[in-house]
Amino acid sequence: MNKNTFLGLGISLLLLVIFASGCTQQNNQTTGQSVNQSGGFQITSTAFVPGGQIPQKYTANGDNISPPLAWTSAPQKTKSFTITCEDPDASGADGAFFHWIVFDIPGNVTKLAEGIPNQRTLDNGAKQGTNDLGTIGYTGPSPPSGTHRYAFKIYALDVMLNLDAGATKDQVNNAMQGHILGQTQITGKYGA
């Protein structure tokens, strides 16, 4: 095998790997679930499947309660988790509309039950931030028109953020910088 043939095979193999990687990422976006580089870190809900319809019960048109969430295979050395619910399809200058922010969830916690009360501090010590409606806790999907996506994102952190309850999305995002060990999400859809 001459040098040019060997080089051509190497480039072909590299392009094949890049193409396969792109297909895997697209598949994760289609299903609404992504697993990050830190292994099998994953978040799920018994209320809806990845990419599926969020039941009305969990929306502002229903009971307006948070869905149950559970996560597995968090990175080692995780000290706390932050969970957000974001609507990337909302139009606005700030990008995604935040429906929920929960932070300083202790590192040994692996789930949140449905219907987390809209209070500043939870029984497990976690704190809730101020959503984009200006209230503490969860506010369910209620798109003005069409169907929107709602991404429930979880971040595994190597610190407790130690922010005050009621912190804004910007305060939480800034405090997480440099401390994210892994992240993953589950996305559901809802249209009124």
Side-chain angles (χ1 to χ4, degrees), residues 120-136:
R120 297 173 69 81
T121 304
L122 305 180
D123 291 342
N124 63 15
K127 300 170 189 168
Q128 295 193 87
T130 301
N131 60 45
D132 279 344
L133 282 180
T135 61
I136 299 288

Side-chain angles (χ1 to χ4, degrees), residues 10 15 51 85 112 120 127 157 171 183 189:
L15 290 173
C85 174
L112 291 178
R120 297 173 69 81
K127 300 170 189 168
L157 307 174
Q171 291 170 325
Q183 68 184 71
K189 298 176 182 175

Side-chain angles (χ1 to χ4, degrees), residues 64 82-103 128-142 148-155 167-174 176-177 183 185:
N64 203 24
T82 294
I83 292 178
T84 63
C85 174
E86 306 168 28
D87 174 359
D89 300 319
S91 58
D94 292 342
F97 186 93
F98 277 63
H99 285 261
W100 197 22
I101 304 166
V102 189
F103 60 94
Q128 295 193 87
T130 301
N131 60 45
D132 279 344
L133 282 180
T135 61
I136 299 288
Y138 179 82
T139 184
S142 182
H148 285 209
R149 295 168 295 155
Y150 297 88
F152 291 82
K153 298 181 179 182
I154 185 168
Y155 302 86
T168 66
K169 64 184 177 187
D170 290 337
Q171 291 170 325
V172 171
N173 282 334
N174 289 339
M176 288 195 305
Q177 294 308 307
Q183 68 184 71
Q185 70 183 50

Side-chain angles (χ1 to χ4, degrees), residues 10-162:
I11 291 172
S12 296
L13 182 58
L14 178 62
L15 290 173
L16 182 62
V17 169
I18 291 170
F19 175 76
S21 174
C23 289
T24 301
Q25 182 161 350
Q26 176 63 37
N27 194 20
N28 285 339
Q29 290 171 354
T30 302
T31 64
Q33 189 168 18
S34 65
V35 177
N36 76 343
Q37 69 280 2
S38 52
F41 187 33
Q42 185 175 36
I43 187 169
T44 59
S45 179
T46 56
F48 61 95
V49 299
Q53 185 79 5
I54 296 172
Q56 188 170 6
K57 172 180 183 178
Y58 305 106
T59 74
N61 300 324
D63 295 335
N64 203 24
I65 62 172
S66 60
L69 298 170
W71 50 94
T72 57
S73 303
Q76 289 185 353
K77 300 183 182 176
T78 297
K79 295 264 193 312
S80 74
F81 298 100
T82 294
I83 292 178
T84 63
C85 174
E86 306 168 28
D87 174 359
D89 300 319
S91 58
D94 292 342
F97 186 93
F98 277 63
H99 285 261
W100 197 22
I101 304 166
V102 189
F103 60 94
D104 283 352
I105 302 168
N108 62 346
V109 173
T110 59
K111 64 183 175 180
L112 291 178
E114 78 171 14
I116 296 297
N118 287 347
Q119 59 193 41
R120 297 173 69 81
T121 304
L122 305 180
D123 291 342
N124 63 15
K127 300 170 189 168
Q128 295 193 87
T130 301
N131 60 45
D132 279 344
L133 282 180
T135 61
I136 299 288
Y138 179 82
T139 184
S142 182
S145 63
T147 298
H148 285 209
R149 295 168 295 155
Y150 297 88
F152 291 82
K153 298 181 179 182
I154 185 168
Y155 302 86
L157 307 174
D158 63 3
V159 294
M160 299 294 277
L161 296 183
N162 292 318

